[in-house]
């Protein structure tokens, strides 16, 4: 299985994990190797216990696809896209405001765009807090265009490279949404459709293709057309007080973009499901967590949702009943990104504890694999093109390759077969 | 052994047999050691071989394999550390520390705080009032350009926790404080001077250990005053960080004498948070959870 991680130092790394090597096996092999190396070291120099080379678990291979260590170029958001030429590309939003498209296979930077407003320093009081910097809250891309949203509500929908040779920024759609946006996510099937939410900012779903907003010359302007969907807060609580709103993450749960259904996590420990066809108020409102929920992912195979909070608790929620199925143990630091395998049977989580961990989704929720990433990971992508082959499938593949490599026999003269005619011995 | 003690049914006889076997075992052991000494005096290579092979297993050397342990020549970690939250300190910024307590601190806590004030140069103690929340105090410190804020938590009239907040945007570490012994309680203690001490950071091996070690380093001025002959030590062993402060003197070129100044205390990391102090909503880089304790041989720093 292959993963790509984007981290806070601006690196994109590819991690290959051999699914046949169990965690226990890998750890015991590594322990033996480390012990042997330590023993060899004591022969030369006593007292120095630092290991000489980087330690790695068996079955785990890691390499840097692109980037150099630099905090200001830290990757805040990452998404995958396919170029017109067919190559797979990562679109990353960096801390210094750059949007960059990087080829997955060669690691080269294909397009780079720098958002001008990131260098400003300011201090705005909002919702009892001070906002002092701009950062991206979401990046999405497809069909040669990207959508990026900052925490000040500035949404940019722009083609990567313009056809006429004019700078791409000239063909951009610029939207100004209320500030203190916390998260923006694009629809997986139609990336021009995106949802935004934040602190005291209700969930709104827009279509960047059809919205009437500012053009490149005018700068960011408030959209004059209505959003596809705008959510409404839950009713006041039992003291008739406004229930605070803090949307931390959202996921589209259906393919419908005209009447989207969205799962939303809040910083007040809630998971809410919105259905645009039914009502603007949430259809379901659950409080499954003890800590603010910061990341969610909806399973594409089962009616389940995985949510992660700020303390490294990853849990699985049944979307039909709203009950927590169980938690995934062993994660020490906040999870920043969750990814699922193609068949939905495995879940991978990576975050601030610098590890990428793979668990079996459901059942015993056992830890299957782990890889040390050395950096604080901000996004993980599970490469579904790398299939996990079982041992018999590998054998079959190898056998097929052998047959194909062999030369064909129909061109050669077939060996003479001995006929049954025999001259009778005279 | 010709006779196994479990064959003897009579308890008195059995005990006598065991005592005899124990004596003989001791005798055989002493005899072997005598012979070994003679052999090794003749052939020193044998001694070296024995010392090499015969290493007893301890909790330290049977530590569970941890990929997070930083290798000696790890470029990526070195590059990341050049640019991390402590880069300003390691590029010359002088530390300016503020220390305070939780409200209504009692006698023991304040005396511990005063000892810490004597340890760390360029530190200021401000009595905690009830007017401002910790979040506000952090903003004030940022505005007045402090580099670190230390909060000593008191519970049941004793200091129990230490929270170290590195200021501009830096990480917050929360420790459990135990085994506090003031300088006065140490027999034969020395008196501290105001010289900048030398800093010793021992055995911080993993990436997180590096972060914590650097946090401690950022409290002290970069250049120590060797004239003061004082050293402050943060020694990490199996996730417990022992703090000691000593005064040293060279008797001759081969011998150094140490005298402890105090205070003496032990810290254990409870959580490390990215960003400033925000236990409810902030993101944790590492937080102690019972299900992380998978084996006795596993440590995180």
């Amino acid at each position: 299985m292959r993963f790509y991680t984007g981290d806070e130092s601006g690196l994109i790394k590819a991690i290959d994990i051999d699914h046949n090597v169990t965690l226990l096996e890998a750890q015991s092999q590594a322990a033996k190797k480390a012990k042997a190396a330590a023993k060899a070291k004591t022969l030369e120099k006593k007292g120095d216990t630092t290991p000489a080379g980087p330690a790695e678990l068996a079955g785990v291979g890691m390499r840097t696809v692109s980037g150099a260590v630099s905090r200001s170029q830290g990757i805040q958001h990452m998404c995958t896209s396919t170029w017109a030429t067919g190559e797979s590309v990562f679109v990353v939003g960096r801390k210094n405001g750059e949007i960059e498209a990087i080829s997955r296979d060669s690691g080269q930077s294909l397009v780079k765009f720098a958002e001008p407003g990131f260098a400003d320093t300011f201090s705005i009081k909002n919702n009892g807090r001070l906002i002092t910097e701009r950062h991206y809250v979401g990046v999405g891309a497809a069909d040669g265009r990207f959508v990026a949203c900052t925490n000040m509500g500035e949404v940019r929908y722009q083609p990567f490279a313009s056809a006429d040779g004019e700078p791409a920024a000239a063909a951009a759609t610029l939207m100004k949404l209320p500030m203190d946006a916390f998260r923006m996510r694009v629809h997986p099937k139609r990336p021009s459709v995106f949802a935004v939410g934040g602190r005291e900012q209700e969930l709104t779903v827009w279509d960047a293709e059809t919205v009437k907003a500012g053009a490149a010359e005018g700068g960011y302007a408030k959209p004059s057309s209505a959003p596809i969907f705008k959510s409404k807060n839950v009713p006041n609580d039992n003291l008739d007080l406004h229930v605070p709103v803090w949307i931390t993450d959202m996921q589209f749960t259906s393919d419908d973009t005209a009447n989207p259904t969205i799962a939303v996590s809040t910083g007040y420990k809630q998971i809410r499901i919105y259905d645009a066809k039914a009502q603007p108020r949430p259809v379901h409102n659950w409080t499954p967590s003890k800590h603010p929920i910061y990341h969610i992912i909806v399973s594409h195979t089962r009616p389940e949702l995985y949510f992660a909070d700020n303390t490294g608790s990853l849990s699985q929620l049944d979307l039909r009943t709203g009950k927590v199925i169980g938690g995934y143990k062993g994660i020490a630091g906040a999870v920043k990104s969750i990814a699922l395998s193609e068949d939905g049977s495995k879940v991978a989580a990576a975050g601030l504890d610098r590890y990428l961990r793979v668990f079996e989704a459901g059942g015993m929720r056992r830890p299957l694999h782990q890889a040390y990433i050395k950096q604080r990971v901000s996004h993980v992508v599970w490469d579904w093109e790398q299939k996990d082959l079982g041992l018999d499938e590998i054998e079959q593949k190898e056998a097929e390759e052998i047959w194909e490599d062999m030369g064909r026999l129909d061109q050669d003269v077939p060996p003479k077969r001995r006929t049954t005619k025999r001259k009778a011995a005279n | 052994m010709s006779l196994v003690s479990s064959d003897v049914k009579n308890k008195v006889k059995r005990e006598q047999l065991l005592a005899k076997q124990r004596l003989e075992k001791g005798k055989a052991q002493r005899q072997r050691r005598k012979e070994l000494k003679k052999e090794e005096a003749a052939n020193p290579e044998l001694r070296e071989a024995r010392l090499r092979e015969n290493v007893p297993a301890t909790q330290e050397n049977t530590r569970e394999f941890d990929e997070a342990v930083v290798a000696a020549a790890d470029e990526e970690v070195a590059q990341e550390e050049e640019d991390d939250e402590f880069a300003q300190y390691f590029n010359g910024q002088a530390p300016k520390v503020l220390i305070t307590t939780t409200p209504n601190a009692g006698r023991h806590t304040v005396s511990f705080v005063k000892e810490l004030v004597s340890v760390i140069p360029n530190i200021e103690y401000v009595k905690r009032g009830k007017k401002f929340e910790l979040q506000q105090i952090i903003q004030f410190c940022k505005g007045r350009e402090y580099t670190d804020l230390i909060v000593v938590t008191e519970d049941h009239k004793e200091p129990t926790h230490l929270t170290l907040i590195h200021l501009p945007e830096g990480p917050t570490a929360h420790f459990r404080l135990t085994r506090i012994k003031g300088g006065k309680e140490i027999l034969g203690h020395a008196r501290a001077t105001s010289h900048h001490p030398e800093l010793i950071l021992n055995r911080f091996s993993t990436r997180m250990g590096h972060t914590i070690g650097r946090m401690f380093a950022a409290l002290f001025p970069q250049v120590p005053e060797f004239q003061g002959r004082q050293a402050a030590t943060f020694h990490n062993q199996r996730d417990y960080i022992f703090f000691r402060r000593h005064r040293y003197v060279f008797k001759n070129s081969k011998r150094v004498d140490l005298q402890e100044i105090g205070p003496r205390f032990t810290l254990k990391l409870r959580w490390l948070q990215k960003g400033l102090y925000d236990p409810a909503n902030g993101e944790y880089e590492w937080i102690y959870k019972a299900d992380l304790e998978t084996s006795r041989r596993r440590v995180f720093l």
Side-chain angles (χ1 to χ4, degrees), chain A residues 228-409:
Chain A
I228 296 174
F229 172 65
K230 183 172 168 145
S231 69
K232 193 170 172 186
N233 198 5
V234 294
N236 287 353
D237 63 12
N238 60 351
L239 294 171
D240 200 22
L241 292 170
H242 158 83
V243 176
V245 175
W246 179 14
I247 293 174
T248 53
D249 201 1
M250 65 285 285
Q251 287 272 309
F252 286 90
T253 53
S254 74
D255 288 345
D256 190 353
T257 50
N259 290 313
T261 56
I262 304 170
V264 155
S265 65
T266 70
Y268 298 111
K269 310 160 193 167
Q270 294 139 341
I271 298 268
R272 292 175 173 161
I273 311 290
Y274 291 90
D275 186 354
K277 221 182 224 173
Q279 57 179 22
R281 284 217 161 117
V283 168
H284 294 291
N285 182 14
W286 302 307
T287 311
S289 176
K290 294 197 191 92
H291 302 279
I293 305 171
Y294 282 121
H295 296 275
I296 58 173
I297 191 168
V298 171
S299 172
H300 53 275
T301 47
R302 305 178 220 169
E304 282 166 2
L305 180 150
Y306 299 86
F307 64 89
D309 62 18
N310 62 337
T311 60
S313 311
L314 176 69
S315 310
Q316 197 173 352
L317 185 85
D318 186 342
L319 282 175
R320 291 172 296 192
T321 58
K323 290 211 170 12
V324 175
I325 296 171
Y328 292 84
K329 292 191 185 169
I331 308 176
V335 169
K336 294 285 261 181
S337 186
I338 315 167
L340 292 169
S341 63
E342 194 168 7
D343 57 359
S345 67
K346 300 197 186 93
V347 58
L352 296 182
D353 65 345
R354 303 172 196 253
Y355 276 92
L356 167 69
R357 289 169 215 267
V358 183
F359 299 88
E360 59 177 22
M364 296 290 289
R365 298 185 296 280
R366 269 183 276 252
L368 296 173
H369 308 280
Q370 77 184 30
Y372 179 61
I373 311 290
K374 281 192 206 169
Q375 303 288 348
R376 295 191 281 231
V377 179
S378 49
H379 199 271
V380 72
V381 173
W382 196 314
D383 191 358
W384 288 355
E385 288 172 28
Q386 295 287 117
K387 309 273 183 218
D388 287 339
L389 301 169
L391 288 167
D392 8 322
E393 284 173 303
I394 294 177
E395 272 179 35
Q396 204 182 21
K397 221 183 162 192
E398 284 176 4
E400 276 175 23
E401 281 173 16
I402 295 173
W403 285 113
E404 276 171 28
D405 286 340
M406 271 188 193
R408 289 178 165 273
L409 282 177

Side-chain angles (χ1 to χ4, degrees), chain B residues 54-78:
Chain B
N54 200 12
V55 177
T58 60
Q59 284 206 6
E60 271 76 27
N61 63 18
T62 49
R63 178 176 166 175
E64 205 179 80
F65 172 72
D66 193 353
E67 303 143 282
V69 171
V70 180
D74 200 329
E75 252 189 58
E76 200 181 317
V77 174

Side-chain angles (χ1 to χ4, degrees), chain A residues 30-271:
Chain A
K32 279 192 202 139
K33 240 208 263 182
K35 214 176 177 180
K39 204 169 187 186
K41 251 204 146 186
T42 51
L43 292 176
E44 312 160 26
K45 183 181 170 187
K46 257 191 179 171
D48 183 5
T49 48
T50 51
E56 255 177 20
L57 281 190
V60 173
M62 196 164 71
R63 61 183 172 89
T64 307
V65 169
S66 103
V69 174
S70 164
R71 221 135 212 265
S72 61
Q73 297 207 303
I75 293 173
Q76 292 181 331
H77 291 277
M78 192 162 109
C79 67
T80 46
S81 175
T82 324
W83 234 221
T85 54
E87 67 176 320
S88 286
V89 146
F90 294 121
V91 179
V92 300
R94 295 192 189 272
K95 191 167 177 207
N96 55 8
E98 283 174 7
I99 301 276
E100 202 172 330
I102 298 166
S103 161
R104 187 185 72 183
D105 300 317
S106 69
Q108 265 186 316
S109 168
L110 299 171
V111 186
K112 210 191 252 194
F113 172 77
E115 176 75 52
F118 274 70
D120 310 338
T121 49
F122 53 89
S123 180
I124 303 177
K125 204 162 185 192
N126 183 286
N127 293 327
R129 283 163 55 250
L130 278 174
I131 308 178
T132 50
E133 45 136 44
R134 257 189 191 90
H135 58 264
Y136 282 117
V137 295
V139 168
D143 297 335
R145 291 168 167 266
F146 71 86
V147 191
C149 181
T150 67
N151 64 328
M152 297 298 285
E154 292 141 359
V155 180
R156 180 181 285 264
Y157 180 57
Q158 183 173 304
F160 277 111
S162 64
D164 325 15
E166 281 174 33
T173 309
L174 303 168
M175 263 168 72
K176 178 80 177 68
L177 297 174
M179 69 170 144
D180 223 354
F182 200 89
R183 198 82 171 88
M184 182 276 269
R185 272 218 202 251
V186 292
H187 194 283
K189 295 284 176 346
R190 270 194 64 196
S192 62
V193 172
F194 64 91
V196 187
R199 285 187 192 256
E200 294 308 321
Q201 188 178 358
E202 289 290 344
L203 181 74
T204 44
V205 182
W206 305 86
D207 186 353
E209 287 271 315
T210 56
V211 76
K212 291 191 185 67
E217 313 87 49
Y220 291 101
K222 260 181 160 171
S224 45
S225 53
I228 296 174
F229 172 65
K230 183 172 168 145
S231 69
K232 193 170 172 186
N233 198 5
V234 294
N236 287 353
D237 63 12
N238 60 351
L239 294 171
D240 200 22
L241 292 170
H242 158 83
V243 176
V245 175
W246 179 14
I247 293 174
T248 53
D249 201 1
M250 65 285 285
Q251 287 272 309
F252 286 90
T253 53
S254 74
D255 288 345
D256 190 353
T257 50
N259 290 313
T261 56
I262 304 170
V264 155
S265 65
T266 70
Y268 298 111
K269 310 160 193 167
Q270 294 139 341
I271 298 268

Side-chain angles (χ1 to χ4, degrees), chain B residues 15 45 58 65 76 133 135 138-139 169 217 220 270 272 275 291 295 301:
Chain B
E15 283 175 354
E45 277 178 15
T58 60
F65 172 72
E76 200 181 317
E133 286 291 325
Q135 302 282 7
I138 291 170
Q139 293 304 321
E169 290 303 334
F220 294 86
R270 275 289 134 123
L272 175 66
D291 52 50
S295 94
L301 282 184

Side-chain angles (χ1 to χ4, degrees), chain B residues 84 123 130 237 243 271:
Chain B
D84 71 354
I123 188 172
K130 287 185 226 153
Q237 189 143 340
F243 175 82
W271 47 257

